[in-house]
Amino acid sequence: MTTTPRSPAADAAAAARPERATRAAGLLPADPALRRATLLTLVNSLGNGLYFPLGVLYFTRVVGLDATAVGLGLTIAGLVGVVAGVPAGRAADRWGARQVGALLWGGTGVATAAYVLVDSYAGFLASVICATGLQMASRGVQGAIYADVLPAATRVEARAYLRMVTNVGIGVGGAFGAVALQLDTRAAYGTAIVLNALSFFGPALMVRRLPLAPHALDRARHAADAPAAERWRAVRDLPYLAVTVLNAVLCVQYTLSEVGLPLWIVERTEAPRWTAALLLIVNCVLVALLQVRVARRASRVPAAVRAMGWAGPLLTVSCAAYAVSAGLSPVWAVAALTVGAVVQVLAEVLSAAGGWTLGYELADARAHGVYQGVFGVGVSAGMMAGPALVTVTAIQQGGAGWAVLGVLFAAAGHAVGPAVRWARRDGDWRGEPA
């Protein structure tokens, strides 16, 4: 399927008014590409939110698999996804990000639907490796899709808006997932799985109708004709890889809310168990309120560097607040944890916006697929390493472990500036072509 590219005048208008990338036409953004991206993001995040609370429980309680074995299988699947990120990005450069994205989403839907047929560990491994691998490989391809359909001046703000939509969708989907958990029947779990599978088929059909920005056609022609060495430039671009690694370190923060804090609250503090849910709600609400605003102010490289430079020390402060909560009464423990969660949200929105900007602006715009694939691999690797790192440090070592994490975050944020200066000295081809 071919799609008529957007006119240069439309992109010029967007560039002249970058602060209005998400201006509304009714309930959705006025920009046609962002409006369609919003719909496919909402559909997919609703399905993901529905599945997240019950996925592991389905395989352990319904299928009857050992919890440790399930965890091992998920780890293997995650590693496959990390490895697949760069080839998927190269495929996006060669055959088009929208086409490759459609195949990845469609394949994820098929593999996810196969969960309802699993009755053995071998079947679990086959389906979860395919589903998780394809879904994680699609992260970098999504970055390339946004590079193709959104003007450079509004891209970061648009990604912030889509992240807000994702949070809302996951939250709403999670509420329905809680209903399935309460029913606790095979039929309830199976229905949730099938609906999640359908949430991938929808975007697979919609993504190919996203209108291309004019620069995308030139990029596609260059990618098809480029010599082999240039096609894989990203894997040899040391400054870009350095920024990717530093961003990956900051991405470890996401596992604090999902893995570290629930364990910390239950095992190390006097705070009630429901505090973990409270902190998750605080995170979702504040991200929805702040992410777009922060992204507007971090859409240029210098501002992005400052944002990530602040994110590291803020994460250090949040780690200190979490550590202090261990020695407090229930009320004060909840207060300390809440302070830490609020500070962490500030770091999260700053690092996310800064990471999006640097991931695009430091890339070779003629090969966004493989570059966004590399950057997506870094994000995936950071989130994969996070649970083990947080457990070994904070959960096992207490305050000393939180201190190690705090120093790691601060060092990563501080090192972004020198890494970006290295990247800028490395060549004048970076950024969007004229």
Side-chain angles (χ1 to χ4, degrees):
M1 176 185 293
T2 58
T3 303
T4 303
R6 304 191 311 182
S7 68
D11 272 3
R17 300 187 305 274
E19 75 282 358
R20 300 189 64 194
T22 57
R23 67 190 187 281
L27 297 176
L28 295 172
D31 181 88
L34 183 55
R35 185 165 60 248
R36 290 175 179 172
T38 297
L39 289 173
L40 70 86
T41 298
L42 182 60
V43 169
N44 191 224
S45 59
L46 283 169
N48 287 339
L50 180 64
Y51 175 76
F52 284 161
L54 53 83
V56 173
L57 292 177
Y58 167 74
F59 290 115
T60 55
R61 290 178 59 81
V62 176
V63 180
L65 301 178
D66 176 71
T68 303
V70 168
L72 176 62
L74 292 172
T75 300
I76 294 172
L79 291 172
V80 171
V82 169
V83 172
V86 175
R90 173 56 198 143
D93 282 334
R94 180 65 181 86
W95 291 292
R98 295 174 306 163
Q99 288 74 14
V100 174
L103 288 174
L104 290 173
W105 271 318
T108 304
V110 172
T112 300
Y115 288 171
V116 298
L117 305 177
V118 170
D119 60 1
S120 67
Y121 191 66
F124 161 73
L125 277 180
S127 59
V128 80
I129 286 174
C130 289
T132 304
L134 291 170
Q135 186 176 12
M136 291 180 67
S138 70
R139 285 179 179 166
V141 175
Q142 288 181 53
I145 290 171
Y146 300 139
D148 281 349
V149 305
L150 298 170
T154 61
R155 206 159 44 202
V156 172
E157 182 187 339
R159 290 206 64 171
Y161 178 81
L162 294 175
R163 185 165 186 253
M164 178 190 71
V165 172
T166 298
N167 274 23
V168 172
I170 289 176
V172 174
F176 287 98
V179 174
L181 282 176
Q182 185 64 31
L183 294 174
D184 198 29
T185 64
R186 187 181 190 101
Y189 287 114
T191 299
I193 289 170
V194 170
L195 289 174
N196 186 35
L198 292 175
S199 79
F200 289 101
F201 292 130
L205 295 174
M206 288 188 282
V207 69
R208 298 184 66 181
R209 297 182 62 84
L210 289 173
L212 286 175
H215 64 262
L217 298 178
D218 293 335
R219 189 179 77 79
R221 284 192 291 268
H222 172 83
D225 299 333
E230 188 173 323
R231 295 171 191 167
W232 296 98
R233 184 202 296 263
V235 299
R236 298 178 289 105
D237 187 344
L238 295 182
Y240 191 85
L241 293 176
V243 174
T244 297
V245 170
L246 294 173
N247 184 67
V249 172
L250 293 176
C251 284
V252 170
Q253 66 179 291
Y254 297 121
T255 62
L256 293 182
S257 297
E258 298 170 6
V259 178
L261 286 180
L263 290 174
W264 177 256
I265 289 168
V266 171
E267 297 183 9
R268 294 281 193 149
T269 77
E270 299 297 323
R273 293 174 183 267
W274 51 259
T275 307
L278 170 66
L279 299 184
L280 184 60
I281 293 171
V282 168
N283 180 279
C284 290
V285 170
L286 290 182
V287 167
L289 291 174
L290 298 175
Q291 188 67 82
V292 174
R293 297 173 184 271
V294 171
R296 287 173 180 167
R297 292 165 174 77
S299 60
R300 295 291 183 269
V301 170
V305 171
R306 288 193 296 272
M308 297 188 78
W310 274 104
L314 285 172
L315 285 171
T316 303
V317 173
S318 69
C319 288
Y322 296 147
V324 167
S325 68
L328 301 176
S329 66
V331 172
W332 286 107
V334 172
L337 290 165
T338 303
V339 169
V342 171
V343 175
Q344 184 185 335
V345 168
L346 297 177
E348 181 179 333
V349 296
L350 285 167
S351 62
W356 292 327
T357 297
L358 297 181
Y360 284 124
E361 296 298 325
L362 300 181
D364 185 342
R366 300 165 297 181
H368 262 307
V370 70
Y371 268 86
Q372 299 313 312
V374 166
F375 206 72
V377 163
V379 173
S380 298
M383 294 177 68
M384 275 194 60
L389 180 60
V390 171
T391 300
V392 169
T393 55
I395 306 304
Q396 294 185 0
Q397 304 301 322
W402 282 114
V404 170
L405 286 177
V407 170
L408 181 65
F409 288 136
H414 178 74
V416 169
V420 170
R421 288 193 291 272
W422 179 22
R424 291 231 147 168
R425 289 196 303 268
D426 190 56
D428 59 5
W429 48 265
R430 298 180 187 276
E432 295 295 333

